[in-house]
């Protein structure tokens, strides 16, 4: 099903509005990702004013048929803008005193020296006591029904001489830290009997052992959409099995109807189909007053284009119909170490045209996907390797070893089912 991600949903009323919209439109979502759920300092306590009874909030989400993931970041936040909550100040002091944070060569705590969460401390997930302390504060979230975490960040260990509990220096640990962080969250879920997942942005060698990834925050432009297609195919070649992106982009001016629907069509045939949006006043200077929610109902109203809603729902329902196939193929991916979104070279390594085709991919072992990525285009050239191929939407059959011109109105994306190899 579709993942709906709400960086712009900051309270019970906005969450409930999305649940009601899903129901009213018959939109088959399966996962809700909440980002602005916490106190924005500890990142393990719910915001008391916005979510006064989080147990009930979680129950309503679960009753609507959705699994819930919460946003996380591996920092003890330094906050220049707001008074530090006493519980957060106590956490910082305890973490420093007990050696639960990464340290500099002189033994002082390492602080992030970049723009994002600048001056914050980083927990040392190679320290078993630090892990127990960190997740002890988050255990109650699993008890109330949370089933996973959007494990954002992890790239901000910049000091070469920094020291970790396991003896690593910063130069060695810079690329490895994200894996240590995400693995700790995976083990937290597993040790508590939760069959959930992590959803991560950063990674390095070994990232394929982590359940799912997304492309990071994107602007709402066709050039960014083209880059995301390349990124997804490249991630698969790097061993990432399950990947997704933000439909229509995450930030900047709201997408055009054409961009949103082309992105929706691509996402329908990606391992993870998700829409997501920057909060008002976010890091990219997002809208400070207007509603930036990237749901099809909000954008249809904002753009004055009912096709955004009708076709958005159509693709979501098509995605729902693909779930048995996706489940079958996901199991095969895990068994065979094959990405669900695969470059053609994995199936046709001796085919020179397949090797040089970088804007098509296989979704599983049967479906060839050729998205339209340029503004104003209503057709595109598609290469079909050897075999017999059936148009997913029209049922028309084509022989392989040819390039054809496929029609691609907004309501369709060129997809072909492999009948024989």
């Amino acid at each position: 099903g579709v993942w709906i991600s709400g960086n712009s949903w900051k309270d019970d009323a906005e969450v409930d509005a999305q649940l009601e919209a899903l129901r009213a439109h018959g939109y088959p979502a399966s996962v809700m990702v909440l980002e602005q759920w916490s106190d924005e300092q500890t990142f393990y306590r719910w915001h008391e004013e916005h979510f006064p009874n989080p147990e009930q909030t979680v129950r309503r989400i679960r009753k609507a048929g959705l699994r819930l993931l919460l946003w996380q970041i591996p920092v003890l936040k330094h906050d220049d803008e707001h008074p530090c909550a006493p519980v957060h100040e106590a956490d910082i002091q305890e973490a420093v005193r007990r050696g639960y944070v990464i340290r500099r060569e002189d033994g002082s705590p390492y602080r992030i020296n970049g723009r994002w969460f600048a001056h914050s401390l980083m927990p040392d997930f190679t320290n078993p006591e630090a892990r127990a302390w960190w997740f002890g504060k988050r255990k109650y979230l699993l008890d109330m029904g949370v089933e996973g975490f959007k494990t954002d960040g992890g790239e901000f260990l910049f000091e070469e001489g920094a020291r970790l509990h396991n003896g690593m220096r910063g130069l060695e640990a810079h690329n490895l830290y994200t894996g240590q962080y995400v693995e700790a969250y995976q083990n937290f879920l597993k040790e508590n009997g939760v069959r959930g997942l992590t959803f991560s942005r950063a990674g390095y060698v070994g990232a394929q052992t982590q359940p799912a990834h997304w492309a990071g925050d994107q602007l709402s432009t066709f050039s960014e959409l083209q880059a995301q297609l390349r990124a997804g195919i490249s991630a698969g070649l790097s061993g990432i099995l399950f990947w997704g992106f933000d439909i229509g982009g995450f930030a900047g001016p709201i997408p055009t109807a054409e961009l949103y629907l082309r992105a929706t069509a691509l996402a329908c045939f990606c391992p993870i189909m998700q829409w997501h949006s920057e909060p008002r006043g976010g890091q990219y200077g997002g809208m400070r007053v207007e509603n930036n929610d990237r749901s099809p109902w909000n954008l249809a109203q904002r753009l004055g284009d009912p096709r955004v809603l009708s076709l958005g729902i159509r693709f979501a329902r098509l995605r729902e119909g693909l779930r048995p196939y996706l489940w079958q193929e996901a199991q095969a991916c895990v068994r065979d170490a094959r990405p669900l979104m695969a470059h053609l070279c994995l199936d046709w390594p001796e085919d020179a045209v397949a090797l040089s085709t970088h804007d098509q991919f296989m979704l599983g072992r049967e479906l060839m996907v050729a998205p339209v990525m340029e503004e104003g285009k209503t057709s595109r050239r598609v290469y079909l390797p050897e075999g017999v191929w059936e148009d997913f939407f029209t049922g028309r059959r084509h022989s392989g070893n040819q390039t054809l011109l496929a029609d691609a109105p907004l309501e369709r994306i060129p997809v072909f089912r492999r009948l024989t190899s």
Side-chain angles (χ1 to χ4, degrees), residues 325 328 362-368 389 416-418:
Y325 171 76
Q328 165 195 292
M362 293 296 294
L363 178 67
R365 294 163 295 181
E366 294 181 12
L367 298 182
M368 167 83 74
W389 298 84
F416 295 85
R417 186 185 302 276
R418 178 163 56 165

Side-chain angles (χ1 to χ4, degrees), residues 140-280:
Y140 83 102
L141 298 171
L142 305 185
D143 295 339
M144 67 172 56
V146 173
E147 293 185 87
F149 297 95
K150 188 172 185 177
T151 38
D152 200 357
E155 313 98 317
F156 297 96
L157 178 51
F158 296 126
E159 192 163 318
E160 293 185 6
R163 294 182 176 180
L164 278 66
H165 179 267
N166 68 351
M168 281 187 182
R169 295 297 183 98
L171 181 62
E172 180 185 7
H174 170 73
N175 286 335
L176 297 176
Y177 180 81
T178 303
Q180 297 166 357
Y181 150 54
V182 177
E183 183 182 31
Y185 271 83
Q186 289 176 230
N187 289 337
F188 171 51
L189 294 168
K190 190 181 302 182
E191 290 162 3
N192 285 279
V194 177
R195 296 186 63 188
L197 55 75
T198 53
F199 189 39
S200 308
R201 184 185 79 228
Y204 185 59
V205 174
Q208 74 279 1
T209 66
Q210 299 155 12
H213 295 75
W214 93 99
D217 302 335
Q218 311 117 49
L219 295 173
S220 297
T221 66
F222 269 96
S223 62
E224 291 263 317
L225 180 61
Q226 293 158 13
Q228 298 318 313
L229 175 61
R230 293 191 295 272
I233 295 172
S234 176
L237 288 174
S238 298
I240 302 297
L241 301 187
F242 308 117
W243 175 93
F245 68 101
D246 300 338
I247 292 174
F250 161 87
I254 61 173
T256 64
E258 183 183 6
L259 172 59
Y260 187 80
L261 290 173
R262 290 305 191 193
T264 298
L266 170 59
C268 178
F269 290 92
C270 273
I272 296 171
M273 182 179 185
Q274 170 191 242
W275 39 264
H276 177 214
S277 60
E278 181 185 33
R280 293 181 288 273

Side-chain angles (χ1 to χ4, degrees), residues 288-317:
R288 299 185 180 278
V289 177
E290 298 175 274
N291 180 1
N292 194 35
D293 179 50
R294 300 300 172 96
S295 64
W297 36 90
N298 183 59
L299 289 183
Q301 182 177 25
R302 291 289 310 279
L303 295 168
D305 192 334
R307 295 176 305 169
V308 173
L309 179 58
S310 61
L311 294 180
I313 293 172
R314 183 186 300 178
F315 278 114
R317 291 176 179 170

